[in-house]
Amino acid sequence: MPRAFARISFTPSVQQVQERYGAREANRAFELSDDARDEIGEREAEFIGERDSFYQATVGEEGWPYVQHRGGPAGFLRVIDSKTLGYADFRGNRQYLSVGNLAANERISIILMDYRNRRRLKIWGRARVVHEDENPELIARLEMPSYRARVERGVVIEVEACDWNCSQHITPRYTETEVEQMLAPLREQLRQSQTVAAKPEVLGEGALELTIGAVRQATPRVRVYELRDPQGADLPAFAPGAHLRVPVPTANGIELRHYSICSDPARRDVYEIAVLREDAGRGGSKALHAAFELGLRLRCEAPRNHFELEDDGRPAVLIAGGIGITPIKAMAHALAARGAEFRLHYAGRSLREMAFVETLRERFDALRLYPSEQGQRLDLRRALADAPADAVIYACGPTRMIDAVVAAARELGLADRVRFERFSATASADDRPIQIELRRSGRSVSVAPTQTVLEAIRLAGVDAPSDCNAGHCGTCAVKLLDGVAEHRDSVLTDAERERSNLMCICVSRARTPHLVLDL
């Protein structure tokens, strides 16, 4: 089944030109699609309802196309049903070119633009002009009561095809309202900053200097930061799954926080990180949102990777929960560039709160979305059971999701092919206080249920090496001299845990009330 727009547009002459420029095979997929895209779906209806203008093309009797801009209040182009659109045609310059063209040729095409998010929707259809004396109920339905402009007629469009266009070459532009929305949090941030001490010009002490070149509000709580070389030079290459240790000014001083690089690894001009503001967290994300602004310079370390993508050509199943999409997005870019087979499952509370949804929709046909507020749940067992026999499974997200992925993979005999990354140290409602004896330091440290062993040790003034703080790298592993550990890391082998008595203190806890560590 071809997509409807391909059936309409891929005429013999178009196909010949595609052949000449080597694009015939790439476009053949549109002619073999499972989705005809000949109706207005939920996504399209939402997009149309947010637009305040569009461009329409009609064809005159001499064969010349005529392109015209139509504008009005947001939502003035109405979705009547899945096959029908309509709009109130306001009085203009009284040339009536589009209306006259439609009287002779009912064909019409429309492009709706979202410059801010670099999206565009194309619609093909057949239009008819309707006057109030012919159908007053329809005209009343198309009118915008709050818009004081004279309605001369209505235009009703029977949809034959619709399709989303790629974002390439769309220059971001913003309406006055959108600019005000973006400036509001920055103005509030500026107001708050006037009451605190001046920020340093450069944060951190790493060898890699970066500057914040752009800030985007991806969702109500997620901001995307573009980090670039201050002089515009290429940045060090990174592999998908890599993260940056970013200096963040907190109440306790400058702390290093880990954020996955979510941009396309093929790009060398920018690193993108996306930060979810956790209002109930430890304060790092809120501090970052408050302090990180355009032009701020950071001294970071080179990207590190504890969540590596295999490069052996095997298919992949990518699973992301919430902000866990950040390393998964970079993996999807890399897999697509290789031409590798993969499936991308992305779960979240709602589409509004899921970052990068539109970018992922445009780039990856393998994307499947699961917004729980719409009653869509990711069936992990089915997703893994339906995967190719040799697929490697990559998962990043909340602890509950990671545990469910591991459990489903174990049940299906796939545990050895699961790679995962947790957001941070995991906590459990069953965690109890622990008493830690540090043998070499001669210190005794109490660990509260809400603390990690690493945090408690450092608060006691004892230095301990660490890197990822999520149990992925093994940097913080120390020898356990007495007691029984509850291992929660994903890096130590059974031999390292059982024979070498190692324990990752950034995430693991204790099965006994007392532990003795070689620190």
Side-chain angles (χ1 to χ4, degrees), residues 449-471:
T450 56
Q451 284 181 307
T452 66
V453 175
L454 177 64
E455 288 171 340
I457 289 174
R458 285 183 169 169
L459 284 174
V462 177
D463 190 29
S466 70
D467 183 14
C468 72
N469 293 332

Side-chain angles (χ1 to χ4, degrees), residues 328-451:
I328 296 297
K329 176 176 175 288
M331 290 181 174
H333 283 298
L335 290 165
R338 297 176 191 171
E341 180 184 358
F342 70 96
R343 299 173 187 179
L344 172 51
H345 302 278
Y346 182 13
R349 183 174 302 163
S350 67
L351 292 177
R352 184 170 179 264
E353 296 177 84
M354 296 164 68
F356 307 115
V357 165
E358 293 304 327
T359 299
L360 297 171
R361 276 172 164 165
E362 291 174 2
R363 292 292 302 271
F364 309 118
D365 290 337
L367 174 68
R368 299 293 181 270
L369 297 171
Y370 307 90
S372 61
E373 283 190 357
Q374 297 182 18
Q376 300 183 40
R377 299 282 181 176
L378 171 56
D379 185 337
L380 288 169
R381 195 181 190 286
R382 180 175 179 181
L384 300 188
D386 291 346
D390 57 342
V392 183
I393 302 150
Y394 302 87
C396 184
T399 296
R400 182 182 303 176
M401 189 199 79
I402 297 297
D403 291 343
V405 171
V406 173
R410 186 179 295 115
E411 183 181 343
L412 295 168
L414 308 176
D416 62 326
R417 287 193 267 130
V418 176
R419 317 284 186 267
F420 63 84
E421 183 171 63
R422 301 181 190 271
F423 292 156
S424 60
T426 60
S428 168
D430 298 329
D431 287 344
R432 296 291 181 265
I434 314 168
Q435 197 66 28
I436 303 292
E437 179 185 339
L438 306 179
R439 180 63 53 85
R440 277 188 285 161
S441 303
R443 302 284 298 276
S444 181
V445 177
S446 296
V447 183
T450 56
Q451 284 181 307

Side-chain angles (χ1 to χ4, degrees), residues 105-423:
N105 188 331
E106 61 186 354
R107 291 180 177 85
I108 191 170
S109 62
I110 289 176
I111 292 183
L112 297 103
M113 302 295 299
D114 176 4
Y115 289 103
R116 175 182 180 177
N117 296 300
R118 303 177 66 207
R119 298 185 295 167
R120 55 188 163 197
L121 176 64
K122 302 179 294 186
I123 299 173
W124 292 258
R126 297 178 183 271
R128 56 187 172 89
V129 175
V130 178
H131 294 93
E132 186 170 14
D133 59 353
E134 300 166 338
N135 194 335
E137 293 81 7
L138 177 62
I139 297 299
R141 183 174 180 181
L142 298 179
E143 281 184 319
M144 303 289 288
S146 61
Y147 191 58
R148 303 176 69 87
R150 181 177 176 183
V151 178
E152 287 196 323
R153 70 201 64 80
V155 176
V156 177
I157 302 167
E158 299 300 325
V159 174
E160 294 206 358
C162 62
D163 206 67
W164 295 88
N165 220 163
C166 69
S167 60
Q168 188 177 19
H169 305 310
I170 299 179
T171 302
R173 296 187 177 96
Y174 303 88
T175 65
E176 183 177 1
T177 300
E178 289 170 340
V179 170
E180 286 302 315
Q181 289 173 346
M182 290 186 290
L183 287 177
L186 297 176
R187 287 185 174 130
E188 176 61 20
Q189 179 180 322
L190 179 61
R191 185 189 66 78
Q192 293 178 0
S193 69
Q194 292 172 346
T195 64
V196 300
K199 300 181 179 70
E201 292 185 0
V202 180
L203 291 179
E205 300 177 348
L208 178 62
E209 186 168 332
L210 302 169
T211 187
I212 299 177
V215 181
R216 303 195 308 275
Q217 196 76 34
T219 77
R221 293 197 299 141
V222 175
R223 284 185 187 169
V224 179
Y225 298 88
E226 292 186 4
L227 309 179
R228 300 177 181 271
D229 180 272
Q231 308 305 321
D234 281 351
L235 298 173
F238 74 94
H243 67 269
L244 280 176
R245 299 179 73 191
V246 178
V248 179
T250 70
N252 300 320
I254 303 298
E255 297 184 8
L256 296 178
R257 298 299 173 95
H258 298 72
Y259 296 102
S260 297
I261 304 175
C262 56
S263 45
D264 187 341
R267 295 186 63 178
R268 298 289 300 278
D269 61 322
V270 65
Y271 296 148
E272 287 186 352
I273 61 172
V275 182
L276 170 68
R277 189 189 72 247
E278 291 278 13
D279 293 327
R282 294 181 295 165
S285 63
K286 288 197 295 183
L288 187 148
H289 273 232
F292 277 28
E293 54 192 26
L294 291 176
L296 180 66
R297 292 199 177 189
L298 310 171
R299 291 191 181 276
C300 304
E301 297 177 2
R304 301 186 183 189
N305 201 338
H306 307 307
F307 187 37
E308 296 182 354
L309 181 67
E310 304 284 353
D311 59 1
D312 54 12
R314 284 182 289 173
V317 176
L318 307 179
I319 301 173
I323 198 62
I325 189 61
T326 48
I328 296 297
K329 176 176 175 288
M331 290 181 174
H333 283 298
L335 290 165
R338 297 176 191 171
E341 180 184 358
F342 70 96
R343 299 173 187 179
L344 172 51
H345 302 278
Y346 182 13
R349 183 174 302 163
S350 67
L351 292 177
R352 184 170 179 264
E353 296 177 84
M354 296 164 68
F356 307 115
V357 165
E358 293 304 327
T359 299
L360 297 171
R361 276 172 164 165
E362 291 174 2
R363 292 292 302 271
F364 309 118
D365 290 337
L367 174 68
R368 299 293 181 270
L369 297 171
Y370 307 90
S372 61
E373 283 190 357
Q374 297 182 18
Q376 300 183 40
R377 299 282 181 176
L378 171 56
D379 185 337
L380 288 169
R381 195 181 190 286
R382 180 175 179 181
L384 300 188
D386 291 346
D390 57 342
V392 183
I393 302 150
Y394 302 87
C396 184
T399 296
R400 182 182 303 176
M401 189 199 79
I402 297 297
D403 291 343
V405 171
V406 173
R410 186 179 295 115
E411 183 181 343
L412 295 168
L414 308 176
D416 62 326
R417 287 193 267 130
V418 176
R419 317 284 186 267
F420 63 84
E421 183 171 63
R422 301 181 190 271
F423 292 156

